[in-house]
């Protein structure tokens, strides 16, 4: 992406400010989230305004009203002691929710604080807290609660405080894991260098990252808190002076045969609240994940997208002479697009045409976002989710790959077209030996026996310059260096005698001395095997080293194409020229620091 | 201009404890010495694992110093307490490699840039004025202040990181591969920005990079690191065009030249160099 890609306009700032609360707003648009928020809001309002809303004192017993049915005086009837059920329900809402929130608050304060401290400072605090947390988690929670009840008596607040301590490890582990993930981020280091104090760093940079998961965890734990608290009260271990849902349930349960309807109200309240809390947590998690970007699936039968492949034709350099080699890969007007959440298609390749002849090395060069990798992936039909070829054709040895079925592609990938990736390590499976990853494809693609494949693999490893093939064959990927891993992948790419190798920035992740070795290897192999190579790169040095032909890409189009020597000698397109101008290789050195008049400060030269 | 060095690194050793009991610690730096004068750019070039990033982090107080010293304006800063270290914030600053993870994604540009100023108790109004000035200095529009990092491209983010480093007008900026993640044309523009800022403000750079061409473009002097040691140190032009040390020679010839004709030549030169170095090693082994 070029620097001028996001040209700021005056209204951008306001858009951004509006978008900042986007998770909150999207949560309200999510039907589950909205329903959960409405139920929870109603519950909280009822709890707050219980005094105002309740028609009478929740504890006032009236012997005449025992188990009274619903009437004007008692809209939901009366319980076994003749107390008004509606009033009790409203006050129970207050105490049940407050009890659960109290437990969650205590758990959050203890868990989040210790998690932040342990994660940020580590050292002894981490060791101690890990021990404490493990001990707490090893204790059976409900037994501890029953024991605590026996010691401290039937106080809802004290019991819930104890429960909060039992819940704290859940917050601790969550926070600790998040902090350890963030503390080595460069922006934390930058803040430290900027002189920001530790408290400020934790508050601003670290807490903001762990905030959302903490809210989700709190919602889930509040649900558990309500259930446990109701359970204790249902068992009759609670404070009888404080009405709660659990006590109402307990009371109703004892009169189940006389007034079964009494069971309904507390059950309904417990169920609605717990379900809403869980759904709220889930909806928030879904929206946070969606914020990371997930395109909607294309609907079947949706209006066909009309690709736009218009644009100026590329500058084409004339061939030095007749090239008798036949065309192996012919790409015409290729358009690649990504389905957008809104329904449209975003084009990333806008009509690319290129040819690769048999035995030729073709370089596809461009800056990030130019569509060079997308072009390579679409030839292999390995575009990420949501991406597809929306126009044009890819003809490989007379076969149209753009319209081949997945089954047909499986037969072509690896056997006819091989692939060398940018990141060698992430393209080797860490749980299998390098040898088995080389042998397996050969037994399938070449239909040779395992012993034969094994022999060939060892030969290939020696051929790609690995000093001890047998040892590398038996190694796991993490036991070899990045340069060795890339040699292994190159061995894999040539193992099945493919006609075309697509190499996507094969040396970008490597050190420059290793890169030179890999370039030498690629050139030698190409000379020996006469395989065609399409190499994607951003480095003109790599192109100069390897390529017969070059195509320069910008904004999803090829702007200039032709024999490499001709383009390097005489670039025509202004964009190609600007790239050449940006190359530092031939620039003048800056020279020693001026103004340092003192002779002693002339740069000393030392070579050890 | 002051000829006294601004920063003197003397026989610096950095060790990281190895995982597991009783294992030998990993020695990332094995006695490194280096000095930087005011207004000078010293390039530090090396491959992955050479210790170049560790050296930058040791200067910043982000890596543990085992032996040796780092002296800034004559004062040893290698074992400072957190509080003393914070006091250095207006003298030594940093620009990191990755412009994506070096800016907090949830803070606006203004909040990010205001952070170092707030620590120095700059008033909100002054800070706001300073931020407009900084954005202007690094070539970003002033309405960038209210936007979030994700609104910006890699090159623009790196400009923001540079603005943050400049906020307190430091005398030394440690630049850890600041252009490695950028595209070719963006890279050239950001390097020019570094140069302009240095000529304007007289700040010194410790410029860490794996790319000899980048280092050559910007550095007055260049140090080459290999396996935790500096193997060659001297005038930038000479070290990057006619190096003496065998490793620097290998490094120089390994980078492909963007010209097919000259690259063919360089490839041949590299083959010859590798062969002759191998021969010398064999002879040394025999002798």
């Amino acid at each position: 992406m070029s620097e001028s890609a996001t040209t700021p306009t005056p209204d951008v700032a306001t858009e951004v400010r509006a978008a900042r609360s986007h998770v909150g707003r999207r949560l309200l648009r999510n039907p589950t989230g909205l329903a959960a928020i409405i139920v929870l809001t109603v519950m909280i309002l009822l709890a707050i305004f219980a005094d105002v809303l309740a028609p009478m004192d929740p504890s006032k017993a009236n012997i005449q009203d025992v188990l009274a049915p619903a009437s004007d005086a008692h809209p939901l009837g009366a319980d076994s002691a003749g107390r008004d059920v509606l009033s009790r329900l409203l006050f129970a809402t207050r105490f049940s929710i407050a009890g659960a929130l109290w437990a969650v608050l205590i758990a959050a304060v203890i868990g989040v604080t210790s998690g932040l401290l342990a994660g940020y400072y580590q050292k002894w605090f981490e060791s101690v807290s890990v021990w404490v947390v493990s001990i707490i988690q090893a204790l059976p929670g409900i037994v501890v609660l029953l024991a605590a009840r026996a010691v401290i008596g039937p106080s809802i607040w004290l019991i819930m405080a104890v429960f909060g301590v039992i819940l704290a490890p859940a917050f601790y582990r969550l926070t600790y894991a998040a902090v350890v993930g963030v503390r080595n981020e460069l922006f934390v280091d930058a803040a430290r260098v900027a002189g920001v104090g530790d408290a400020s760093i934790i508050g601003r940079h670290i807490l903001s990252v762990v905030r959302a998961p903490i809210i989700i965890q709190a919602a889930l734990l509040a649900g558990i808190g309500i259930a446990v608290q109701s359970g204790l009260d249902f068992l009759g271990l609670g404070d009888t002076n404080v009405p709660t849902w659990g006590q109402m349930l307990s009371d109703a349960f004892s009169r189940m045969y006389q007034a079964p309807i009494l069971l309904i109200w507390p059950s309904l309240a417990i169920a609605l609240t717990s379900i809403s809390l869980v759904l709220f947590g889930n909806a928030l998690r879904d929206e946070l994940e969606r914020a990371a970007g997930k395109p909607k699936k294309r609907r079947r039968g949706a209006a066909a997208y009309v690709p736009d492949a218009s644009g100026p034709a590329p500058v084409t350099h004339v061939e030095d002479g007749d090239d008798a080699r036949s065309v192996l890969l012919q790409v015409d007007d290729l358009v690649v697009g990504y389905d957008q959440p809104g329904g449209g298609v975003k084009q990333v390749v806008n009509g690319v045409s290129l040819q690769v002849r048999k035995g030729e090395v073709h370089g596809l060069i461009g800056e990030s976002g130019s569509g060079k990798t997308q072009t390579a992936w679409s030839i292999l039909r390995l575009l990420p989710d949501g991406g597809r070829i929306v126009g044009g054709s890819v003809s490989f040895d007379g076969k149209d790959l753009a319209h081949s079925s997945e089954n047909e592609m499986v037969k072509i990938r690896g056997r006819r077209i091989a692939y060398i990736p940018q990141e060698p390590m992430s393209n080797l499976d860490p749980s299998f030996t390098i040898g088995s990853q080389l042998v397996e494809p050969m037994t399938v693609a070449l239909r040779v026996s395992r012993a034969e494949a094994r022999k060939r693999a060892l030969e290939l490893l020696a051929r790609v310059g690995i000093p001890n093939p047998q040892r590398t064959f038996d190694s796991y990927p993490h036991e070899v260096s990045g340069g060795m891993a890339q040699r292994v992948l190159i061995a894999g790419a040539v193992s099945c005698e493919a006609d075309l190798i697509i190499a996507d920035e094969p040396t970008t992740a490597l050190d420059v001395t290793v890169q030179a070795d890999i370039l030498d290897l690629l050139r030698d192999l190409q000379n020996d095997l006469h395989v065609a190579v399409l190499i994607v790169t951003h480095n003109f040095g790599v192109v100069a080293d390897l390529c017969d032909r070059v195509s320069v890409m910008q904004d999803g189009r090829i702007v200039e194409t032709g024999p490499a020597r001709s383009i390097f000698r005489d670039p025509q397109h202004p964009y190609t020229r600007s790239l050449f101008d940006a190359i530092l290789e031939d620039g003048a050195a800056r020279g020693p620091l001026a103004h340092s008049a003192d002779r002693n400060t002339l740069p000393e030269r030392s070579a050890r | 201009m002051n000829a006294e060095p601004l920063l003197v690194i003397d026989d610096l050793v950095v060790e990281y404890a190895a995982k597991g009991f009783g294992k030998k610690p990993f020695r990332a730096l094995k006695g490194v010495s280096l000095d930087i004068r005011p207004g000078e750019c010293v390039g530090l070039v090396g491959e992955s694992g050479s210790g170049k990033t560790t050296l930058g982090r040791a200067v910043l107080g982000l890596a543990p110093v085992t032996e040796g010293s780092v002296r800034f304006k004559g004062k040893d800063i290698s074992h400072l307490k957190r509080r003393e270290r914070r006091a250095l914030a207006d003298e030594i600053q940093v620009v990191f490699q990755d412009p994506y993870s070096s800016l907090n994604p949830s803070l606006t540009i203004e909040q990010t840039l205001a952070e170092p100023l707030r620590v120095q108790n700059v008033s909100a109004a002054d800070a706001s004025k300073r931020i407009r000035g900084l954005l202007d200095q690094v070539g970003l529009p002033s309405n960038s202040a209210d936007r979030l990092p994700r609104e910006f491209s890699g090159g623009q983010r790196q400009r923001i990181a540079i603005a943050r480093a400049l906020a307190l007008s430091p005398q030394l900026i440690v630049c850890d591969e600041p252009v490695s993640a950028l595209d070719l044309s963006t890279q050239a523009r950001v390097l020019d920005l570094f140069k302009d800022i240095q000529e304007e403000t007289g700040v010194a750079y410790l410029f860490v990079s794996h790319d000899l061409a980048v280092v050559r473009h910007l550095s007055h002097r260049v140090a080459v690191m290999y396996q935790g040691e500096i193997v060659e140190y001297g005038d930038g032009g000479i070290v990057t065009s006619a190096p003496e040390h065998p490793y620097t020679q290998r490094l120089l010839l390994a980078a492909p030249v963007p010209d097919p004709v000259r690259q063919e030549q360089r490839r041949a030169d590299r083959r010859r160099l590798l062969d002759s170095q191998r021969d010398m090693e064999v002879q040394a082994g025999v002798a």
Side-chain angles (χ1 to χ4, degrees), chain A residues 13 17 52-53 66 91 167 252 277 323 336 340 344 366 376 378 413 518:
Chain A
R17 225 173 281 129
V52 188
L53 295 171
V66 168
F91 275 95
L167 287 179
L277 282 167
D323 198 330
V336 176
Q340 293 300 298
S378 58
R413 279 184 221 128
I518 295 289

Side-chain angles (χ1 to χ4, degrees), chain A residues 458-469:
Chain A
L458 286 169
E459 281 168 13
L460 280 169
L461 288 175
R463 176 67 192 85
V464 296
I466 286 174
N468 188 340

Side-chain angles (χ1 to χ4, degrees), chain A residues 503-577:
Chain A
D504 182 12
E505 305 258 13
T507 58
T508 305
L510 307 174
D511 272 328
V512 65
T513 48
V514 183
Q515 163 173 297
D517 292 342
I518 295 289
L519 289 177
D520 282 347
L521 170 63
L522 281 173
R523 189 176 330 90
D524 291 351
L525 280 175
Q526 203 270 332
N527 280 339
D528 290 0
L529 305 171
H530 303 291
V531 62
V533 179
L534 177 65
I535 183 164
V536 174
T537 182
H538 68 277
N539 186 331
F540 275 104
V542 170
V543 173
D545 191 75
L546 278 182
C547 298
D548 305 318
R549 274 197 183 66
V550 191
S551 296
V552 182
M553 279 194 83
Q554 181 194 21
D555 297 339
R557 289 197 175 79
I558 289 181
V559 295
E560 186 158 5
T561 181
R565 288 188 179 230
S566 170
I567 288 189
F568 275 95
R569 201 185 315 124
D570 182 22
Q572 297 285 323
H573 195 276
Y575 177 70
T576 317
R577 287 192 189 163

Side-chain angles (χ1 to χ4, degrees), chain A residues 207-519:
Chain A
L207 208 53
S208 64
V209 177
V210 299
R211 196 172 45 199
I214 288 174
I215 294 174
I216 294 171
Q217 182 77 294
L220 301 182
L221 290 182
I224 296 175
I226 284 176
V228 165
Q229 194 242 337
S230 302
L232 288 175
D233 277 347
F234 179 76
L235 296 175
L237 302 171
D239 181 351
T240 43
N241 294 322
V242 181
T244 63
W245 291 332
Q247 282 190 6
M248 293 182 67
L249 204 58
S250 168
D251 179 69
F253 188 70
S254 63
R255 302 298 171 105
M256 194 162 66
Y257 295 105
Q258 286 134 305
I261 188 108
L262 289 181
L263 276 171
I264 294 283
W265 312 118
S267 310
L268 208 57
I270 292 171
L272 268 178
T273 315
S274 302
I275 290 171
S276 301
L277 282 167
V278 171
L279 291 182
F280 170 77
N282 285 349
L284 180 58
R285 191 200 54 217
D286 288 351
E287 290 306 327
L288 282 172
E289 275 172 10
R290 199 164 299 163
K294 213 178 172 189
K296 274 183 191 157
K297 274 252 165 76
R298 180 163 50 114
R299 272 169 303 179
R300 275 172 201 284
Y305 176 74
V306 184
D308 172 19
S310 62
V315 180
T316 310
H317 289 244
V318 271
E319 306 292 327
D320 296 330
D322 274 347
D323 198 330
R325 293 179 289 190
S326 59
V327 172
L328 180 67
L329 177 76
Q330 172 84 45
V331 177
D332 282 311
D333 294 325
L334 178 74
V335 180
V336 176
Y338 279 78
D339 295 314
Q340 293 300 298
V345 172
K346 185 174 177 244
Q347 277 189 208
V348 293
V349 175
N350 308 315
V352 158
S353 303
L354 63 85
Q355 276 187 349
V356 182
R357 290 182 176 77
K358 279 190 176 144
E360 152 187 275
V361 183
H362 193 118
L364 198 55
I365 190 163
E367 298 192 292
S368 52
S370 63
K372 56 188 192 303
T373 299
Q374 300 294 332
T375 305
W377 283 346
S378 58
I379 294 168
L380 287 160
R381 292 274 304 280
L382 285 175
L383 288 165
D385 274 355
R388 60 197 166 100
I389 296 175
V390 292
S393 67
V394 179
S395 167
F396 173 74
D397 210 8
K399 193 170 172 58
D400 185 5
L401 301 187
H403 299 96
S404 292
S405 70
E406 185 55 33
N407 278 339
E408 289 170 309
M409 285 311 296
V410 167
K411 289 189 192 128
I412 287 172
R413 279 184 221 128
R415 300 178 206 193
R416 305 287 321 273
I417 307 181
Y419 177 65
I420 303 174
Q422 174 171 358
E423 291 285 344
M425 278 305 177
S426 54
N427 279 277
L428 287 169
D429 189 329
S431 41
F432 293 93
T433 61
I434 283 169
S436 71
Q437 295 183 56
L438 284 173
V439 165
E440 194 69 40
M442 274 195 272
T443 57
V444 178
L446 301 176
R447 304 189 180 191
V448 294
S449 67
R450 289 197 80 83
E452 171 70 16
R454 186 187 158 84
K455 198 174 127 249
R456 281 197 195 203
L458 286 169
E459 281 168 13
L460 280 169
L461 288 175
R463 176 67 192 85
V464 296
I466 286 174
N468 188 340
Q470 184 63 53
R471 204 173 68 198
T472 306
F473 187 92
D474 296 326
S475 310
Y476 285 91
H478 69 266
E479 295 170 317
V480 302
S481 69
M484 284 298 151
Q486 192 62 296
R487 285 176 195 269
V488 168
L489 284 168
I490 290 171
V494 298
S495 67
C496 297
E497 293 158 9
D499 304 297
L500 173 67
I501 295 177
I502 294 182
D504 182 12
E505 305 258 13
T507 58
T508 305
L510 307 174
D511 272 328
V512 65
T513 48
V514 183
Q515 163 173 297
D517 292 342
I518 295 289
L519 289 177

Side-chain angles (χ1 to χ4, degrees), chain A residues 3 6 8 187 189 195 198 204-205 367-368 511 513 517 520 523 545 565 586 590 601 608, chain B residues 37 47-48 57 82 101 104 115 147 156 159 183 185 189 198 218 245 262-264 267 270:
Chain A
E3 264 197 291
T6 30
F187 62 79
D189 280 341
D198 288 343
R204 271 165 78 88
H205 292 287
E367 298 192 292
S368 52
D511 272 328
T513 48
D517 292 342
D520 282 347
R523 189 176 330 90
D545 191 75
R565 288 188 179 230
D586 304 318
R590 199 167 172 194
T601 63
R608 272 192 243 169
Chain B
R37 301 189 194 102
E47 297 191 291
S48 52
R57 290 180 72 85
R82 277 169 186 266
S101 73
N104 187 333
E115 196 158 50
R147 299 159 71 193
Q156 290 171 320
R159 285 170 190 267
D183 272 328
S185 52
R189 285 205 293 274
Q198 184 159 52
L218 197 66
H245 192 273
R262 278 174 42 226
Q263 172 57 18
E264 211 173 311
R267 211 151 58 209
R270 176 168 175 269

